[in-house]
Amino acid sequence: MFVTTLGTRLLRTVQRVSWRSTTPAWGARRLRPLARPPFARRQSIRSVRVSRRDTRSRCAMTLAADKNTKVKYRRDYAPPPFLVDDAELEFALHETATRVTAALRVRRNPAVSAEGQRALRLDRGKGVQLVPRSLQVDEAVLDADAGDYTLSPEALEIHRLPAGTATFTVRSEVVICPRDNTALEGLYVSGGNFCTQCEAEGFRRITFFIDRPDVMARYRTRIVADRERYPVLLSNGNLVESGAVPDDASLHYVVYEDPWRKPCYLFALVAGKLVAVTDSFTRAVSGRPVDLRLYVRAGDEPCGAHAMASLKRAMRWDEEVYGREYDLDVFNIVAVDDFNMGAMENKSLNLFNSKYVLASASTATDADYHAIEGVVGHEYFHNWSGNRVTCRDWFQLSLKEGFTVFRDQEFSADMLRSRAVQRIVDVMRLRSAQFPQDAGPMAHPVRPDAYEAINNFYSVTVYEKGAEVIRMLRALVGVDGFRRGTDLYFERHDGQAVTCDDFVAAIRDANPDAMDAQRWQQFLLWYSQAGTPEVRVLSERYDAAERALRVTLCQRVPPTPGQPTKRPHVIPVATGLLGSDGREVMRTQTLLLTAERQEFCLRDVPPDTVSSYLRGFSAPVKLFRDDIGGKEEEERQLAFLMAHDTDDFNRWEAAQTLLLRAALETGGELSETAAAALEAAFDARAESDPLLLTRLLTVPSEGYVADEVRDDDKAATAAAVDPVRIHAACGRLRRQVATRLRSRLQRYLQEMLPVEAREASSLEAVAQGRRALINLSLAYLVTLEDAPEEPTERTPTGYLQLALERSRSHNTMTGTMAALSALANTESTHAAPYRQQALDEFYQRWQHDYLVVDKWLRIQSSASRVSALEDVERLAQHEAYNSANPNNVYSLLGGFALANPYGFHGRDDCARAYRFIADQVLQLDERNPQVAARIATAFLKWRRYDPARQSAMREQMERIRRRETLSVDVNEILAKALQ
């Protein structure tokens, strides 16, 4: 559901897969229409459509939740007492009174005893006024007064079940109010269109159902709506019937049938005024065509071309790399303006946040293009890794998400044709978001043991760390072995809801010689232990007589909440050796670290080698090195690796380590060794690989520097963070880099600006690299023009003006946004007029494009300036900001509280910033707990700061928790933070 973006392509001969008929197996078992009691029979579809009575008292969403909600534990899993084989749904759509009728063919689960089947429990959305207008089992109409069923805030329990029958049909009718569903879960209205979001537990807001992923059914969906207001009606599967409603020509209907069993979280419905961008795809093995349709608002059709092309590339890639063909005759994508997440993989009907669909050269940056390609790929890949094979329970969420993130990362690496840069992007996200989560109060394993609100566990640990676990599996069995394992996994579990253990078992069974049984069992600790392992190179001892290098490694996993002690992991440490002349003397070998302390012997090694550890970031760990010979020798080795390592990821790693140490240890003073290494990198890479060079030259973010503050440089213990000091150090470091590279940066700008204009529309890696390096060059040079001085040889001038001009008229949004960001992050009085003029002109030009306005909001909220709070307070009252739209909230409040450590924590009166965010969380929680919970995570690192800041943040967290109607989503996060 959530994804990242962005080589040598890993191709295998496409293996033939059998084509399964898409004809649904309903036949004589098709359910009869719901038999309504007399009071319901009198109300026609027409009367529901035109009803003007106030239904809000019955249908309004009460989003408050009980703070004492029961914790769910993985150990308590039990098979469902009942299964649903077929679900027949009918929707009579109305913004305030949508009637939903459901006929469920229910079957007693033979794996559960009769004692557990005395009552049928159907889930009901907590806080939702979901009340049955009629309810029957087979032909028997149920009566609550007679004790036939009971209705609680969370469930409908049916006690009157037919005796002696294995299957029966439950029919129900409810009325819901999509207009008031501000939580954006279940069925809601966005921009005048109906849409759904059912993962994880949204379907229970639509109708009564056994809402768990291991209950998989075939769906037949009939949608009735006003023809003029909702001309497009969509649901899962194939369209089998459509037409006008016989007794009312203003209404029309459609019927969709999905022949593949799926859990209810994959159900989807869309209705509205939409325009389709159409294309087709021919499957490689079967030769059958697939109709592709991307639905957008009228006028946005040209902006869907990149998403459509990305979809076709993803479909072909999945055939070539995994042998997976698409299994229906149509694939639909719909762009939705109001969406809590990035996208959703509903079977054959993917719903996307508009920001991950719409793109044009004038409105989208290179990063936007990559994000769209990655998200489209991610959701398409879910068709097999998530839909055809799904997770047994929500604790197994990484089964589908970790695997699919790995798949979309590999797809993006192939599409970008720069595997190193894609790997850097992936690792940067892991380190900036997942490592801090592993070190904080919300630390949890890839497969969590417990949760209160499942929405809080759509996390970087489940997704990104889960993907790293899959990557290690591939490293352990090899590319070909991994393909054998995934083939076996899909064949063995097609149509099933399974566990992470089942996935690992398939990889193991397809590769019996890869590891022994004990090691496979030990590998599963990656799913059950929280925390980021720390690997330390204790020593390197060279034996000249044997020409052998003996390397001693050790590992530890720090304590995390609920897990004070940890067992050793299986950690693949990809290692290479370079000779003193820079040539590789040992190709990459994997040292398999399985004990707390372990020695490895590398043979036939010449003297005076330099080791390159953890190549390609072969495991999600933190690496420390002892016994190198002091800081000067360590810097020398890092500079050597920057210049000579054959692994480009480790070149970047060496550069980042040099820059990080300058920020942490010398207040931003760049050493001569580091400066010379950066100069050499620029000279070697500016022409051949500017995309990688841009990454090499980029100073670590203030947030990442703060996360790396330690009591000493080799200690694992975190120390108190001083946001003001870190801000000053990072600013000084950027100016130091700019000063040292000034002539090179100026020359590059002069030579490459004309080239950039000629290749503005190119998404090739070299063209993107040139744009990236131009933008970085300008950002660095702007830092030197920070005072109204007369031009001197040491102080370049005119770069503020150049940034202003690029923000006005550049022919791609990549350059425009980079220039705007460079100006927004300047703090001097001299730069203020340029900054304000650029921001004002940008808004005047783009105020009618809501996705571009989101960028404008985030540029300002994330600008690392002491006045950021005043800017955010002002923008919160701006006409451009809508607190009901998640994208707006993430851009403004998320940009400030989650991505701007200096702006959020750096003021003398930081308590004011904390109070402001707490106020926003309380307001958001009343309408959308998911979004509120994400903003509330801004307080999770409160213990990393000084006592004054700790006290101010704690006060606001306790104030939020005192609200009686606080949602479970927000309460769980703050309760864990305060433990």
Side-chain angles (χ1 to χ4, degrees):
M1 188 189 309
F2 172 81
V3 293
T4 58
T5 60
L6 309 185
T8 301
R9 184 174 299 223
L10 305 175
L11 299 180
R12 284 181 53 92
T13 303
V14 179
Q15 298 183 353
R16 182 171 296 276
V17 294
S18 61
W19 178 257
R20 301 192 177 195
S21 170
T22 59
T23 302
W26 289 62
R29 296 190 296 109
R30 181 170 294 169
L31 303 178
R32 296 185 300 278
L34 179 65
R36 302 184 184 89
F39 76 88
R41 236 182 251 125
R42 288 195 295 268
Q43 187 174 27
S44 67
I45 293 175
R46 173 70 176 177
S47 66
V48 172
R49 184 181 70 86
V50 301
S51 173
R52 299 300 184 201
R53 69 181 184 278
D54 183 10
T55 60
R56 298 186 67 166
S57 62
R58 297 189 58 193
C59 304
M61 301 291 178
T62 305
L63 300 178
D66 183 1
K67 287 188 280 187
N68 298 316
T69 295
K70 182 180 179 182
V71 177
K72 299 177 180 65
Y73 295 95
R74 182 166 61 90
R75 64 173 181 262
D76 293 336
Y77 172 83
F82 299 89
L83 303 170
V84 179
D85 289 326
D86 299 304
E88 187 164 352
L89 307 174
E90 180 175 310
F91 292 80
L93 294 178
H94 187 275
E95 286 198 355
T96 60
T98 289
R99 191 175 72 235
V100 184
T101 60
L104 313 178
R105 186 173 295 279
V106 180
R107 173 168 52 93
R108 297 179 188 273
N109 189 345
V112 177
S113 68
E115 182 66 25
Q117 297 175 341
R118 291 189 172 184
L120 170 63
R121 186 184 191 277
L122 300 176
D123 294 298
R124 172 195 187 196
K126 192 169 184 180
V128 181
Q129 297 297 323
L130 201 65
V131 179
R133 296 179 52 151
S134 66
L135 185 64
Q136 63 188 77
V137 175
D138 288 340
E139 303 304 323
V141 177
L142 304 187
D143 185 353
D145 294 336
D148 295 342
Y149 69 90
T150 57
L151 189 64
S152 71
E154 294 183 328
L156 167 70
E157 290 199 11
I158 300 176
H159 307 289
R160 183 181 173 185
L161 299 177
T165 60
T167 63
F168 52 90
T169 300
V170 176
R171 296 179 171 88
S172 66
E173 179 185 300
V174 298
V175 174
I176 58 176
C177 184
R179 186 190 65 185
D180 291 344
N181 183 1
T182 59
L184 310 185
E185 293 182 273
L187 179 66
Y188 64 96
V189 176
S190 170
N193 300 322
F194 286 94
C195 56
T196 55
Q197 172 55 34
C198 293
E199 187 175 356
E201 297 176 339
F203 193 78
R204 63 186 64 183
R205 290 174 172 268
I206 296 174
T207 191
F208 300 107
F209 201 83
I210 309 174
D211 189 356
R212 46 189 287 173
D214 55 353
V215 174
M216 303 174 71
R218 291 176 293 267
Y219 284 73
R220 177 182 172 89
T221 305
R222 186 173 191 265
I223 308 170
V224 181
D226 186 290
R227 181 190 299 273
E228 182 179 349
R229 295 185 65 189
Y230 310 108
V232 173
L233 304 176
L234 303 170
S235 191
N236 310 92
N238 296 317
L239 176 65
V240 297
E241 189 180 339
S242 64
V245 173
D247 61 349
D248 191 336
S250 67
L251 299 175
H252 69 139
Y253 77 95
V254 295
V255 177
Y256 284 88
E257 288 184 350
D258 188 350
W260 301 103
R261 288 183 179 271
K262 66 174 180 284
C264 66
Y265 81 83
L266 291 172
F267 174 80
L269 179 152
V270 171
K273 286 187 176 179
L274 298 164
V275 180
V277 177
T278 62
D279 207 328
S280 64
F281 177 83
T282 301
R283 286 168 274 213
V285 175
S286 67
R288 296 182 59 171
V290 183
D291 291 333
L292 308 179
R293 299 180 190 132
L294 192 156
Y295 290 89
V296 297
R297 297 187 306 183
D300 284 339
E301 300 95 315
C303 297
H306 177 68
M308 181 64 80
S310 298
L311 174 60
K312 296 176 71 173
R313 288 192 291 268
M315 297 177 80
R316 184 66 68 208
W317 186 89
D318 211 19
E319 289 181 341
E320 294 172 342
V321 178
Y322 284 89
R324 300 294 109 191
E325 275 200 341
Y326 185 60
D327 53 8
L328 287 170
D329 296 329
V330 63
F331 189 90
N332 294 319
I333 291 176
V334 179
V336 179
D337 293 345
D338 302 295
F339 208 68
N340 285 338
M341 302 188 184
M344 179 60 208
E345 71 265 19
N346 316 295
K347 184 69 177 177
S348 78
L349 178 54
N350 286 186
L351 269 66
F352 275 62
N353 190 315
S354 296
K355 69 181 290 186
Y356 292 115
V357 172
L358 305 178
S360 69
S362 61
T363 63
T365 65
D366 289 345
D368 292 331
Y369 278 108
H370 290 310
I372 289 170
E373 184 173 64
V375 173
V376 168
H378 180 99
E379 305 307 331
Y380 173 75
F381 300 146
H382 264 313
N383 185 62
W384 278 94
S385 53
N387 296 2
R388 288 284 289 266
V389 184
T390 195
C391 49
R392 183 194 70 179
D393 53 72
W394 291 121
F395 297 101
Q396 316 293 331
L397 180 59
S398 195
L399 174 84
K400 71 185 187 76
E401 295 299 349
F403 185 23
T404 305
V405 167
F406 171 74
R407 275 152 57 75
D408 85 54
Q409 289 174 350
E410 289 295 290
F411 167 67
S412 294
D414 283 346
M415 297 302 104
L416 180 62
R417 296 180 178 84
S418 179
R419 289 196 149 267
V421 171
Q422 178 60 40
R423 190 67 183 129
I424 289 166
V425 170
D426 298 336
V427 173
M428 286 176 64
R429 175 166 175 77
L430 192 77
R431 287 177 171 169
S432 64
Q434 197 281 316
F435 279 14
Q437 184 173 83
D438 252 350
M442 285 294 290
H444 58 272
V446 169
R447 179 171 53 191
D449 295 316
Y451 64 80
E452 292 180 37
I454 183 56
N455 288 329
N456 289 334
F457 288 85
Y458 284 82
S459 65
V460 284
T461 295
V462 169
Y463 282 66
E464 271 69 22
K465 187 175 181 180
E468 295 299 316
V469 174
I470 303 299
R471 189 177 295 275
M472 286 188 291
L473 273 174
R474 189 184 66 170
L476 292 171
V477 302
V479 172
D480 290 343
F482 188 70
R483 171 63 189 270
R484 287 193 301 271
T486 57
D487 283 350
L488 179 60
Y489 170 70
F490 290 127
E491 178 185 351
R492 180 183 285 178
H493 298 297
D494 190 9
Q496 298 178 14
V498 298
T499 68
C500 297
D501 292 345
D502 293 319
F503 181 86
V504 176
I507 304 298
R508 179 198 64 205
D509 293 348
N511 299 274
D513 299 327
M515 291 191 297
D516 59 33
Q518 181 181 351
R519 290 289 172 260
W520 281 109
Q521 193 63 33
Q522 184 182 2
F523 184 84
L524 290 173
L525 292 173
W526 282 106
Y527 286 101
S528 60
Q529 290 190 160
T532 302
E534 295 167 354
V535 174
R536 190 175 296 277
V537 183
L538 292 178
S539 66
E540 293 179 344
R541 293 179 292 108
Y542 183 71
D543 187 326
E546 295 186 11
R547 287 176 58 83
L549 181 67
R550 288 181 169 82
V551 178
T552 303
L553 305 178
C554 71
Q555 64 165 297
R556 71 178 286 269
V557 185
T560 53
Q563 292 186 342
T565 59
K566 309 293 177 71
R567 294 162 57 195
H569 282 290
V570 174
I571 301 177
V573 182
T575 303
L577 296 177
L578 302 170
S580 57
D581 59 357
R583 289 185 295 181
E584 191 170 64
V585 298
M586 186 188 82
R587 292 184 179 180
T588 303
Q589 295 184 16
T590 298
L591 309 181
L592 197 61
L593 179 60
T594 60
E596 288 186 6
R597 181 186 178 110
Q598 197 168 341
E599 183 178 282
F600 301 88
C601 184
L602 307 178
R603 299 194 177 277
D604 197 23
V605 174
D608 300 323
T609 58
V610 175
S611 306
S612 172
Y613 293 107
L614 210 66
R615 283 184 160 182
F617 201 68
S618 57
V621 303
K622 293 186 176 182
L623 181 69
F624 301 90
R625 295 190 64 176
D626 292 348
D627 194 27
I628 290 182
K631 293 185 183 301
E632 289 187 5
E633 175 61 20
E634 194 167 5
E635 281 205 347
R636 187 191 69 78
Q637 287 198 15
L638 289 169
F640 181 86
L641 291 172
M642 267 188 69
H644 301 293
D645 203 328
T646 55
D647 182 82
D648 282 341
F649 176 87
N650 272 14
R651 287 179 185 263
W652 171 79
E653 183 79 296
Q656 284 292 285
T657 303
L658 287 170
L659 293 169
L660 178 65
R661 289 182 176 178
L664 287 172
E665 298 171 11
T666 63
E669 185 68 35
L670 193 66
S671 70
E672 177 59 32
T673 300
L678 294 177
E679 289 177 331
F682 196 105
D683 294 339
R685 297 274 176 162
E687 184 174 345
S688 63
D689 197 348
L691 196 58
L692 177 62
L693 177 61
T694 302
R695 296 293 179 181
L696 288 173
L697 300 181
T698 301
V699 170
S701 69
E702 293 178 25
Y704 180 62
V705 173
D707 289 334
E708 292 301 304
V709 172
R710 299 285 181 260
D711 285 332
D712 66 70
D713 64 310
K714 293 188 181 300
T717 305
V721 170
D722 184 341
V724 177
R725 187 174 180 180
I726 289 173
H727 175 71
C730 289
R732 185 182 186 191
L733 180 56
R734 281 188 288 270
R735 290 189 294 274
Q736 291 259 312
V737 173
T739 300
R740 190 61 183 251
L741 298 178
R742 176 170 60 89
S743 61
R744 290 171 171 82
L745 300 175
Q746 290 174 312
R747 185 171 63 253
Y748 194 82
L749 277 181
Q750 183 178 5
E751 294 175 353
M752 289 300 148
L753 283 174
V755 177
E756 179 199 35
R758 293 196 299 269
E759 57 186 21
S761 61
S762 173
L763 291 177
E764 290 297 318
V766 172
Q768 291 184 52
R770 290 193 187 104
R771 287 193 289 270
L773 191 51
I774 287 170
N775 293 332
L776 182 68
S777 299
L778 181 59
Y780 273 142
L781 292 171
V782 162
T783 67
L784 299 180
E785 193 178 350
D786 59 359
E789 303 170 353
E790 291 297 320
T792 68
E793 185 177 352
R794 294 180 53 82
T795 306
T797 59
Y799 291 106
L800 286 169
Q801 182 64 34
L802 176 59
L804 176 60
E805 292 170 0
R806 282 173 69 83
S807 73
R808 287 172 172 166
S809 58
H810 192 65
N811 54 5
T812 70
M813 187 58 73
T814 302
T816 300
M817 291 304 298
L820 199 64
S821 177
L823 292 172
N825 281 279
T826 57
E827 292 192 84
S828 71
T829 305
H830 175 49
Y834 296 92
R835 178 177 62 246
Q836 197 58 52
Q837 187 173 354
L839 290 168
D840 291 346
E841 290 179 359
F842 185 90
Y843 180 73
Q844 288 303 314
R845 180 180 180 186
W846 296 106
Q847 60 183 305
H848 301 300
D849 190 312
Y850 59 102
L851 293 179
V852 178
V853 169
D854 279 337
K855 302 179 195 295
W856 180 76
L857 291 171
R858 189 172 182 87
I859 280 284
Q860 296 175 83
S861 66
S862 60
S864 188
R865 294 190 292 112
V866 74
S867 62
L869 175 60
E870 285 80 7
D871 293 338
V872 172
E873 288 176 328
R874 171 178 52 81
L875 291 168
Q877 306 301 318
H878 196 279
E879 63 179 1
Y881 179 67
N882 175 12
S883 63
N885 178 264
N887 285 354
N888 273 191
V889 174
Y890 300 149
S891 294
L892 184 64
L893 303 183
F896 174 63
L898 303 177
N900 190 351
Y902 178 62
F904 189 42
H905 298 288
R907 303 167 60 96
D908 292 336
D909 60 340
C910 56
R912 180 179 151 200
Y914 305 151
R915 184 169 56 252
F916 170 77
I917 289 298
D919 290 343
Q920 300 301 311
V921 168
L922 287 168
Q923 292 174 25
L924 289 167
D925 194 57
E926 294 178 352
R927 60 183 304 120
N928 193 326
Q930 271 195 63
V931 173
R934 293 194 192 184
I935 303 303
T937 60
F939 294 113
L940 285 175
K941 296 181 183 178
W942 69 286
R943 295 184 190 274
R944 291 296 316 274
Y945 293 89
D946 61 85
R949 287 182 172 86
Q950 286 189 28
S951 177
M953 280 188 272
R954 184 184 188 107
E955 179 182 350
Q956 296 307 316
M957 286 189 284
E958 291 174 342
R959 177 167 74 92
I960 294 171
R961 293 196 70 223
R962 284 196 292 270
R963 172 175 280 182
E964 289 294 328
T965 58
L966 189 68
S967 71
V968 174
D969 305 62
V970 173
N971 184 70
E972 180 178 27
I973 286 173
L974 298 186
K976 288 185 175 181
L978 291 166
Q979 281 177 353

